């Protein structure tokens, strides 16, 4: 971790590797400052890691990065202990939070953090990139809450990119809050909702048997992507309703 007048720099990294005797070990589990990785009890061959917020943030000017990689045959689940709050601060410029997930052939990663909450006055640019080799499996969830109860959101620019087998399956960006281009809160985007999320599921069998498009309630959809993947996307009035919609959509995607 480093701290300067421009904010705090922190990085966390986890590498999952399959043991010859079975199961998954974690030869790399590194973190510092506001980012703390903790291994917890797994299930079967799966290794589980929890990302704990050791300090508040990110604040304006902070730079956070998390790298998660699963080698061939490994199974890794990454969760977080609590929601992440994007907060205003004394640093110069917007905060940056980068997440990079890599899944080798025959490996499986479940990236299931708690929501990101954009607090009034904050400025955050978040970038999540997932690269899945042919034959790899991924379940990746993102949830964003625009403002705490009764408050307006900060500025949030969030981009999600997912590639499988060297082909880009999804590349989308959401820009919302004060200073964002007009229309972000209109009927074509969030329609007044304050919680938005998506789950991307990459499975080899989807290449031959893609999921069927369907609607879950009034504000959630399950969609096949152009490749071995499916997208569940939803908006809701609050985080609790959003989670229920995403869970129902994930179940519908199989």
């Amino acid at each position: 971790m480093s701290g300067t007048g421009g904010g705090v720099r922190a990085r966390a990294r986890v590498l999952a590797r399959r043991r010859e005797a079975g199961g998954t070990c974690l030869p790399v589990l590194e973190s510092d400052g506001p980012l703390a990785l903790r291994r917890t009890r797994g299930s079967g061959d799966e290794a589980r890691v929890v990302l704990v917020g050791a300090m508040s943030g990110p604040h304006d000017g902070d730079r956070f990065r998390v790298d998660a990689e699963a080698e061939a045959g490994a199974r890794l689940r990454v969760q977080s202990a609590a929601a992440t709050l994007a907060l205003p601060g004394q640093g110069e410029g917007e905060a940056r939070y980068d997440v990079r997930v890599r899944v080798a052939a025959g490996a499986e990663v479940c990236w299931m953090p708690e929501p990101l909450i954009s607090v009034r006055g904050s400025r955050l640019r978040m970038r999540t990139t997932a690269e899945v080799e042919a034959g790899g499996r991924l379940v990746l969830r993102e949830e964003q809450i625009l403002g705490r109860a009764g408050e307006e959101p900060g500025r949030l620019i969030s981009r999600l990119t997912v590639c499988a087998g060297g082909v880009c399956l999804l590349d989308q960006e959401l820009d919302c809050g004060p200073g964002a281009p007009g229309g972000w809160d209109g009927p074509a985007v969030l329609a007044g909702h304050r919680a938005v999320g998506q789950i991307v599921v990459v499975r080899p069998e989807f290449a031959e048997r893609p999921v069927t498009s369907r609607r879950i309630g009034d504000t959630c959809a399950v969609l096949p992507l152009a490749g071995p993947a499916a997208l569940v996307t939803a908006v809701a009035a609050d985080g609790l309703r959003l989670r229920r919609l995403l869970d129902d959509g994930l179940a519908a995607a199989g």
Side-chain angles (χ1 to χ4, degrees):
M1 181 189 73
S2 63
T4 68
V8 173
R9 270 59 172 170
R11 183 179 179 183
R13 182 178 174 223
V14 55
L15 173 64
R17 177 175 297 161
R18 182 172 178 80
R19 293 191 183 98
E20 291 185 5
T24 301
C25 63
L26 302 175
V28 178
L29 191 65
E30 303 172 345
S31 55
D32 56 20
L35 302 174
L37 294 175
R38 300 288 184 264
R39 179 164 188 170
T40 60
R41 185 181 297 276
S43 174
D45 290 341
E46 181 183 76
R48 293 191 180 186
V49 174
V50 174
L51 182 61
V52 179
M55 298 167 55
S56 62
H59 298 82
D60 291 349
D62 289 350
R63 300 289 186 270
F64 292 177
R65 176 172 167 175
V66 181
D67 291 279
E69 180 177 356
E71 295 181 348
R75 296 183 60 208
L76 173 66
R77 176 181 291 267
V78 181
Q79 300 170 290
S80 59
T84 298
L85 270 66
L87 298 165
Q90 302 300 317
E92 298 179 1
E94 64 190 10
R96 295 289 300 267
Y97 199 138
D98 295 322
V99 174
R100 298 185 182 183
V101 179
R102 293 181 175 87
V103 187
E108 179 177 333
V109 172
C110 290
W111 182 267
M112 306 288 276
E114 294 302 306
L116 168 71
I117 301 175
S118 177
V119 174
R120 182 175 59 187
S122 64
R123 296 170 294 167
L124 175 64
R125 183 182 295 269
M126 185 163 189
R127 178 71 187 268
T128 301
T129 303
E131 299 176 2
V132 185
E133 293 183 4
R137 295 171 177 269
L138 171 71
V139 179
L140 184 150
R141 182 180 69 204
E142 275 197 343
E143 298 171 319
Q144 286 113 20
I145 312 299
L146 306 182
R148 293 172 293 192
E151 76 172 6
E152 292 299 310
R155 178 72 180 273
L156 175 62
I157 303 173
S158 177
R159 184 170 181 176
L160 172 62
T161 305
V162 179
C163 299
V167 177
C168 184
L169 305 182
L170 178 69
D171 191 0
Q172 66 178 24
E173 182 174 279
L174 175 66
D175 187 349
C176 54
W184 67 268
D185 202 24
V189 187
L190 297 184
H193 296 91
R194 284 296 178 266
V196 56
Q198 47 271 325
I199 298 177
V200 180
V201 183
V202 179
R203 291 180 178 171
E205 55 266 32
F206 284 169
E208 299 295 331
R209 300 186 300 276
V211 301
T212 302
S213 300
R214 67 188 69 185
R215 191 175 71 177
I216 307 295
D218 294 329
T219 59
C220 178
V222 180
L223 304 168
L225 296 177
L231 172 67
V232 181
T233 184
V235 294
D238 55 51
L240 180 60
R241 296 176 187 177
L242 177 68
R243 177 66 62 84
R244 289 173 176 169
L245 286 171
L246 291 176
D247 286 347
D248 288 346
L250 181 59

